[in-house]
């Protein structure tokens, strides 16, 4: 394997990456769960779906927290998570609008 | 599998930091959690046979209830019927009661009928040993409340999230050598290598269990804020349907026979065994009865039961954890999340598996700390302060917690001799032993106190069956019967005692004959003398 140049290596940026994954990761988890809650099977009202949704939040959030350190810099982490959030919430708003 | 070196380095740091900050809390949670697998058995073991309700036959239970509720105000507000083999036993809270897990000052009154159908009453404080171990599991012993939630639960919730990250990072770090070395337990490459190999093996083999426990613990701790956020997602749609408040109070004389409830529950939950009915608020417009239903072959939403709450007079169901058609497809799925944490879906076989995996989990955190210490050890001379402190904390907290639980269990039977509030005494015993162990560990150093605390653990474990034997002959102790718990607690105590003795001997050998520059080494008694001898003869 070729040696990585210093600028290609993952930068630690511990605090920034952690905070970004924490907040934007949580926002993304809520976005995905919101999509599932409103437009997923069973709709908003089915049986114990609200409990299922609550459980699913951490299923999405915890891996985001764990894998967030794979981003090369805090900046790329911020960028990608912002894009992901934008996509999810855009889909949510458009589905809402189409309804 | 090839992983980029910078990724490995990054996740090595993540693993170290998440691990070392949470390991001690998680050790306590896992050790106590393993014990809670057998909470009913521990309770049964702890409660003297003479101080529990004496059952009457199924035909006479209605007579007993009628007499009790007409003569005793507390009983008319609420009571508990325990169904045992061929009969039922009646009791009620003279003091306390409620939904909190641990209630230290509760007192129960037991009622039964004599041969002439006359009401016989006795009372005793409740013995909360099992619930206290459960509380230790949920909070790691951290006292305090934040709102209506235990501070310890929230702290463990954060620890569980970090532990999830530690698991993922640990696997990433291990990936390059996973296949080659997973089952290698290299004993000839030094103690450090052996600890690393066993740490990795336990971590990987029980990975699904650990991911699941970490995730469910996060949810148990933070479901309230999670629901709070979901409220925003749901907008003006309510998250839960609120049951309406009742308006009508019923006369207790209208309470149906126990047979009626049994038949009703037989329809609702055909293949469950009814364990107990808990009636409460009978004199208010919102009376409830909670039916505790047990089964050994399916996921249960509670630790040991499913529960149906319903109206004792109209039988309208308020809330049920038994799967009902209106729960939809998501009901059973959500229930399985709970069951996967509680390990109740495969009877006693499953509980033993969870017991073993819980203890292995405790080992995982303990060995992780040892590896951290080895990595930072100075090869020669005085150790750094951080290493000394962490070593003392690891020994003091881990061994101290086990010693505290063991001591409380030993104290259990003796406390009945003293006129002292039982459940408060458990707390005093646990915390004083726990903090004494930590203090001792700092005072004498990790190496020496590890040996002494392990021998103390051996002694405490031996004292458990010895106490059981003595309890049969010491006058004034309430009677215990062997049949109560089938000697399981005694048997396990002996097994633990053996393990602690072997470990203590090994620790002692390592201290005096192991590597001299280890942080676990102690000066040999004859070392000075032999040096003098060498000087003389040289």
């Amino acid at each position: 394997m070729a040696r990585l140049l210093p600028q290609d290596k993952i930068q630690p940026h511990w605090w920034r990456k952690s905070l970004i994954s924490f907040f934007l990761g949580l926002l993304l988890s809520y976005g995905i769960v919101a999509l599932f809650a409103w437009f997923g099977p069973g709709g908003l009202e089915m049986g114990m779906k609200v409990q299922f949704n609550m459980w699913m939040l951490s299923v999405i959030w915890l891996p985001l927290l764990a894998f967030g350190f794979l981003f090369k810099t805090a900046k790329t982490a911020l960028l990608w998570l912002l894009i992901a959030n934008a996509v999810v919430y855009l889909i949510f708003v458009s589905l809402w609008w189409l309804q | 599998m090839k992983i980029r070196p910078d990724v490995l380095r990054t996740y090595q740091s993540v693993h170290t930091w998440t691990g070392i900050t949470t390991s001690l809390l998680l050790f306590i949670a896992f050790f106590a959690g393993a014990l809670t697998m057998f909470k009913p058995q521990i309770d049964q073991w702890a409660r003297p046979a003479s101080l529990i309700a004496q059952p009457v036959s199924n035909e006479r239970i209605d007579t007993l209830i009628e007499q009790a509720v007409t003569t005793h105000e507390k009983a008319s507000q609420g009571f508990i019927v325990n169904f045992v083999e061929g009969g039922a036993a009646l009791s009620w809270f003279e003091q306390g009661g409620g939904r909190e897990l641990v209630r230290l000052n509760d007192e129960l009154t037991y009622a039964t009928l004599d041969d002439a159908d006359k009401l016989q009453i006795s009372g005793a404080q409740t013995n909360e040993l099992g619930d206290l171990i459960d509380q230790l599991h949920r909070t790691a012993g951290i006292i305090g409340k934040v709102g209506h939630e235990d501070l310890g639960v929230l702290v463990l919730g954060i620890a569980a999230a970090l532990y999830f990250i530690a698991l993922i990072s640990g696997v990433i770090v291990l990936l390059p050598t996973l296949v080659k070395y997973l089952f290698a337990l290299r004993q000839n490459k030094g103690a450090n290598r052996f600890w690393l190999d066993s740490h990795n093996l336990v971590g990987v083999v029980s990975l699904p269990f650990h991911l699941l426990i970490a995730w469910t613990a996060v949810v148990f701790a933070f479901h309230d804020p999670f629901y709070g956020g979901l409220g925003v997602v749901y907008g003006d749609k309510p998250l839960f349907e609120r049951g309406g408040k009742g308006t009508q109070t019923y006369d207790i004389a209208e309470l149906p026979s126990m047979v009626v409830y049994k038949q009703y529950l037989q329809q609702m939950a055909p293949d469950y065994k009814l364990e107990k009915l808990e009636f409460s608020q009978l004199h208010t417009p919102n009376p409830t009865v909670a039916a505790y239903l047990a089964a050994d072959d399916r996921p249960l939403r509670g630790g040991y039961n499913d529960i149906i709450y319903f109206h004792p007079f109209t039988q309208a169901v308020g809330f049920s954890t038994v799967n009902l058609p209106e729960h939809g497809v998501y009901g059973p799925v959500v229930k399985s999340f709970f069951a996967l944490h509680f390990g109740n879906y495969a009877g006693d076989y499953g509980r033993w598996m969870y017991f073993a995996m819980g203890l292995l989990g405790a080992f995982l955190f303990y060995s992780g700390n040892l590896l951290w210490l080895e990595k930072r050890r100075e090869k020669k001379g005085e150790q750094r302060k951080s290493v000394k402190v962490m070593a003392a904390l690891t020994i003091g907290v881990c061994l101290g917690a086990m010693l505290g639980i063991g001591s409380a269990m030993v104290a259990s039977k003796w406390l009945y001799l003293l006129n002292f509030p039982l459940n408060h005494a458990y707390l005093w015993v646990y915390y004083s032993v726990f903090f004494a162990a930590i203090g001792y560990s700092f005072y004498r150093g990790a190496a020496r106190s590890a040996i002494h605390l392990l021998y103390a653990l051996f002694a405490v474990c031996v004292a458990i069956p010895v106490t059981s034997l003595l309890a049969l002959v010491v006058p004034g102790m309430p009677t215990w019967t062997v049949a109560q718990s089938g000697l399981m607690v005694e048997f396990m105590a002996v097994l633990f005692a053996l393990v602690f003795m072997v470990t203590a001997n090994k620790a002692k050998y390592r201290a005096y004959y192991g590597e001299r520059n280890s942080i676990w080494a102690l000066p040999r008694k004859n070392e000075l003398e032999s040096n003098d001898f060498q000087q003389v003869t040289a």
Side-chain angles (χ1 to χ4, degrees), chain A residues 1 4 8-10 14 26 30 33-34 36-38 41-42 44-59 61-63 65-70, chain B residues 4-7 9-11 13-14 161 164-165 168 172 215-216 219-220 223 225-227 229-230 233-234 237 239-240 301 326-331 333-334 337-338:
Chain A
M1 202 164 17
L4 290 168
D8 293 332
K9 284 185 186 170
I10 292 181
W14 297 120
L26 187 60
Y30 269 108
V33 168
F36 182 80
W38 281 86
L44 260 197
E45 258 132 57
M46 186 180 197
M48 288 165 95
K49 190 176 166 188
V50 62
Q51 296 193 31
F52 179 82
N53 292 340
M54 188 275 291
W55 281 87
M56 284 306 111
L57 282 172
S58 44
V59 169
W61 190 30
L62 287 173
L65 286 176
F67 289 109
F69 300 103
L70 282 175
Chain B
R4 272 169 44 181
D6 57 332
V7 174
R9 248 195 316 280
T10 303
Y11 276 94
S13 301
V14 172
F164 186 92
I165 299 170
I168 301 284
I172 292 177
W215 167 51
T216 45
V219 175
F220 289 161
H223 54 244
F226 284 157
Y227 276 126
L230 266 191
V233 169
Y234 274 60
K237 298 274 201 300
L239 291 185
F240 297 100
R301 170 113 176 207
E326 61 263 35
H327 292 165
V329 286
Y330 295 107
V333 178
V334 168
F337 300 152
F338 285 87

Side-chain angles (χ1 to χ4, degrees), chain B residues 46-62:
Chain B
R47 289 169 188 164
S50 55
L51 294 182
I52 55 175
Q54 303 307 311
V56 296
S57 70
N58 281 321
E59 292 77 42
R60 297 166 79 203
I61 185 67
D62 289 320

Side-chain angles (χ1 to χ4, degrees), chain B residues 257-309:
Chain B
S257 154
M258 292 301 120
V259 179
V260 174
Y261 292 120
K262 275 188 172 172
Q263 282 166 352
Y264 173 68
L265 289 162
Q266 184 66 32
Q267 280 170 6
M268 290 268 294
D271 38 7
Y272 281 87
K273 183 174 164 284
L274 175 62
E275 282 192 335
K276 81 178 167 180
L277 289 175
E278 219 174 275
F279 295 81
S280 55
Q281 305 192 59
L282 288 174
H283 57 306
T284 73
N286 296 297
T288 46
V289 50
Y292 288 76
L293 301 149
D296 252 355
D297 56 350
R298 80 204 68 178
L300 304 170
R301 170 113 176 207
Y304 316 88
N305 301 92
D306 269 320
I307 306 181
I308 301 178
Y309 294 94

Side-chain angles (χ1 to χ4, degrees), chain B residues 85-394:
Chain B
E85 211 60 52
L90 179 68
S91 55
W92 61 84
F93 284 106
E94 200 59 45
Q95 186 183 312
R99 290 260 186 103
E100 287 275 297
L101 175 64
V102 175
R103 304 185 306 265
L104 298 176
N105 301 313
D106 279 10
E107 289 195 18
L108 276 169
T109 297
Y110 309 116
T112 192
L113 292 172
D114 66 7
D115 291 337
D117 274 358
K118 207 168 157 299
L119 191 65
Q120 301 291 315
I121 298 288
S122 62
Q125 52 183 331
T126 56
N127 188 331
E128 305 278 321
L129 182 62
D131 280 340
L132 284 168
I133 292 175
D134 199 352
Q135 181 75 354
L136 186 63
H137 162 61
R138 292 164 8 96
T139 64
I142 298 168
I143 302 174
K145 289 254 177 199
V146 179
H148 72 280
E149 190 57 277
D150 290 312
L151 173 63
V153 170
L154 300 178
V155 172
L156 274 194
I158 296 168
L162 291 171
Y163 152 51
F164 186 92
I165 299 170
L167 289 166
I168 301 284
S169 55
V171 172
I172 292 177
V173 171
L174 207 56
L175 279 175
T177 55
L178 183 63
V179 178
K180 199 168 166 195
Y181 289 125
L182 178 58
F183 288 107
L185 276 175
R186 290 161 287 183
Q187 282 171 290
N188 52 354
K189 291 212 174 174
N192 189 19
R193 186 51 85 177
F194 176 73
W195 282 108
L196 180 64
D197 284 344
S198 44
H199 180 79
N200 291 343
L201 180 63
V202 170
V204 171
V205 169
S206 45
L207 186 66
F209 169 78
H210 282 286
L211 287 172
L212 212 135
I213 295 294
W215 167 51
T216 45
V218 169
V219 175
F220 289 161
F222 297 117
H223 54 244
D224 279 353
F226 284 157
Y227 276 126
L230 266 191
V232 177
V233 169
Y234 274 60
D236 48 5
K237 298 274 201 300
L239 291 185
F240 297 100
E241 284 173 42
R242 295 246 165 267
K245 289 266 173 223
T247 48
Q248 195 184 346
T249 33
Y250 291 79
D251 185 357
I252 190 127
E254 291 173 42
L255 203 68
S257 154
M258 292 301 120
V259 179
V260 174
Y261 292 120
K262 275 188 172 172
Q263 282 166 352
Y264 173 68
L265 289 162
Q266 184 66 32
Q267 280 170 6
M268 290 268 294
D271 38 7
Y272 281 87
K273 183 174 164 284
L274 175 62
E275 282 192 335
K276 81 178 167 180
L277 289 175
E278 219 174 275
F279 295 81
S280 55
Q281 305 192 59
L282 288 174
H283 57 306
T284 73
N286 296 297
T288 46
V289 50
Y292 288 76
L293 301 149
D296 252 355
D297 56 350
R298 80 204 68 178
L300 304 170
R301 170 113 176 207
Y304 316 88
N305 301 92
D306 269 320
I307 306 181
I308 301 178
Y309 294 94
F310 59 97
H311 195 293
F313 298 97
T314 67
Q315 272 122 44
V317 174
F319 178 69
S320 165
T321 73
V322 172
N323 291 331
L324 299 176
E326 61 263 35
H327 292 165
V329 286
Y330 295 107
V333 178
V334 168
K335 191 176 180 171
S336 71
F337 300 152
F338 285 87
L340 283 166
H341 187 102
F342 298 140
N344 58 25
Y345 48 89
D348 279 346
Y349 175 74
R351 290 185 204 283
W352 281 112
M353 287 292 289
Y354 267 59
F355 179 75
M357 285 193 289
L359 292 181
L360 283 174
F363 169 83
L364 190 68
F365 310 128
Y366 185 72
S367 59
N369 270 24
L370 295 189
L371 290 167
W372 187 93
L373 292 168
E374 281 302 318
K375 215 172 177 179
R376 272 150 198 81
R377 162 172 86 93
E378 296 292 340
K379 302 293 178 287
K380 279 238 156 62
E382 187 81 348
Q383 296 296 335
R384 272 180 284 180
K385 193 160 185 207
S386 65
V387 169
K388 279 186 180 171
V389 168
M390 202 62 215
L393 265 181
T394 304

